Amino acid sequence: MAWMLLIIAGLFEVVGVIGIKRVAVKNNWTNNLILIGGFVISFQLLVTAMEDISLSTAYAVWTGIGTVGAAIVGMLFFKESKSPMRLLCIAGVVGCVIGLKLIE
């Protein structure tokens, strides 16, 4: 259950990052709610997951999900680069997150 909460926390981190981008484009209540809500939910789920998962692993996995998620959202919705090297680096982060899960 803790791992599921950690994955969901990482996904809500991506929601918070989307909120940051939206606030940068247009600062309004809706975009600020997405930003704040995404991070508040993410942090709360992270805290709960850390009751059963070690700090180092939980934080690394959480930031990895956020990093990969933000990069994918950037490529799909904000016309960011999809270069082979960038995709390779994203795959490297995914591989490391999976590795941390396997050794936990």
Side-chain angles (χ1 to χ4, degrees), residues 30-89:
T30 303
N31 293 340
N32 278 285
L33 185 60
I34 293 168
L35 184 158
I36 295 166
F39 282 122
V40 166
I41 293 168
S42 179
F43 286 137
Q44 186 56 53
L45 292 170
L46 175 62
V47 167
T48 304
M50 289 172 95
E51 292 172 2
D52 295 321
I53 302 171
S54 68
L55 165 88
S56 58
T57 300
Y59 185 72
V61 170
W62 179 72
T63 57
I65 293 169
T67 300
V68 169
I72 291 170
V73 166
M75 289 186 292
L76 294 177
F77 299 107
F78 299 108
K79 300 177 184 169
E80 293 180 4
S81 169
K82 297 176 185 129
S83 72
M85 194 56 144
R86 185 173 185 171
L87 296 174
L88 178 65
C89 290

Side-chain angles (χ1 to χ4, degrees), residues 8 10-11 14 20 23 25-27 33 57-59 65-66 72 74 76 80 84 93:
I8 295 169
L11 296 175
V14 176
I20 292 172
V23 166
V25 172
K26 183 177 183 185
N27 190 352
L33 185 60
T57 300
Y59 185 72
I65 293 169
I72 291 170
L76 294 177
E80 293 180 4
V93 172

